Amino acid sequence: MGRVDTEAKDYLSNVERFSDLFNYWIYNGDTVIQPERLHELDTAAIAIPYGSKSKKHVQRFRDLLKLYTAMEDGKAVYLVFGLEIESKIHYSMPVRNMLYDALSYVHQVDIIANRNRQENAPGSRHEFLSGMKRDDRLHPVVTLVLNISGHPWDGCTNIHNLLSVDDKRILEFVPDYKINLLSPDILAEEEFDKFNTGIGAALQFIKHQHDDNMDWIINQKRLEKVDRATIEFIQTATGTDFNIDENEEVIDMCRAWKNSMAQAKSEGINEGRKEGRMEGQRAAQLTSIRNLMQNKGWTAREAMDALMISADEQAQYISMI
């Protein structure tokens, strides 16, 4: 796992940001999923890809997985939320996510079956075979794919699009599976206002990071108070360098961007002056070399030796003469 993936995972493991993403995706930004009701789950799962008799097991790790506890009609209900963070386009994402979700359901079935055996719950022979009673139920699993690559997602978003046939008569009998894809490039500007944490600013910056004109960032009120963790995540994800004070915890993103641009411009001017001085020195040396060659009848190397020009520099002047 690269640095971007690692830091993105750390940034989005925060329950406020995690719940903000799912509130946007499921509830259009309404605050329904409460961060304090999210609990960490083990992200590791064991897959048996070649059948139950195979000894070849594969361990799979989700990026982030959390259990949500809510109340519905006075009863506790549970949901499993998974987040997959992609800094590069993953072209087999539908298959990967389908496996993750299936393993989450398999894990739930195992827990229920073990509980029923421990309780010696009576049941029919059909219930005994599966380990589940007829009225046992599983917790829904919702997996969200977040594209932070800075590029449009050009991979498939469902299983049917990955298959080698287009015959609808065949596909009718092949269960489809689609991924929930949140990709900043397809969000309208007003959509970023539906986020309640800094993740909205981060996704908007990821969307625009390759723009020739970055004026969109100027005078945006909601970017005037951005938490430091978000700024650091933006810098890591996009390679952008904001000019911020090391003691600032809440940052005016617009001001930081203007300061960065001003600093870059100043450094560019200074570098240009330095280059100008160096060009002037080269031109003077070149004139001296040519004068010695003309007046003394020396070769270029004899003239440069007389002027005590280093061997490395002589090679540059030779190409100019």
Side-chain angles (χ1 to χ4, degrees), residues 215-280:
D215 287 348
W216 66 270
I217 201 173
I218 307 301
N219 298 325
Q220 290 218 30
K221 290 294 183 182
R222 63 184 184 78
L223 298 182
E224 292 179 357
K225 293 183 179 180
V226 180
D227 60 287
R228 187 179 190 86
T230 294
I231 295 291
E232 291 175 348
F233 170 64
I234 292 172
Q235 291 184 136
T236 301
T238 67
T240 304
D241 186 20
F242 281 98
N243 187 355
I244 57 177
D245 189 283
E246 61 181 14
N247 297 317
E248 282 185 287
E249 290 301 324
V250 179
I251 294 139
D252 184 337
M253 203 165 158
C254 307
R255 175 176 53 80
W257 177 255
K258 288 179 181 177
N259 290 345
S260 297
M261 292 300 97
Q263 181 177 343
K265 182 178 180 181
S266 175
E267 290 173 353
I269 291 172
N270 290 335
E271 189 64 26
R273 287 172 178 167
K274 182 179 177 182
E275 283 292 323
R277 286 195 298 271
M278 292 178 66
E279 285 299 322

Side-chain angles (χ1 to χ4, degrees), residues 104-121 127 130-139:
S104 292
Y105 287 121
V106 168
H107 181 62
Q108 291 185 52
V109 169
D110 288 343
I111 291 174
I112 292 172
N114 288 333
R115 182 194 65 200
N116 287 339
R117 280 194 291 269
Q118 290 173 4
E119 294 176 354
N120 292 317
E127 292 174 327
S130 65
M132 289 183 63
K133 294 184 290 185
R134 190 168 61 88
D135 57 351
D136 284 332
R137 293 293 180 268
L138 304 175
H139 307 317

Side-chain angles (χ1 to χ4, degrees), residues 151-169:
H151 301 282
W153 187 275
D154 60 354
C156 293
T157 57
N158 59 46
I159 291 292
H160 278 190
N161 287 342
L162 271 176
L163 300 181
S164 59
V165 298
D166 297 321
D167 190 335
K168 293 182 179 180
R169 292 169 298 179

Side-chain angles (χ1 to χ4, degrees), residues 289 292-293 296-305 318 321:
I289 294 167
L292 287 174
M293 291 172 65
K296 300 284 187 179
W298 291 347
T299 65
R301 292 207 179 273
E302 288 173 334
M304 288 188 285
D305 286 340
I318 286 291
I321 298 173

Side-chain angles (χ1 to χ4, degrees), residues 30 50 67 154 161 191 199 204 220 249 262 269 284:
D30 291 341
Y50 303 111
L67 178 69
D154 60 354
N161 287 342
E191 291 296 299
I199 187 62
Q204 190 173 20
Q220 290 218 30
E249 290 301 324
I269 291 172

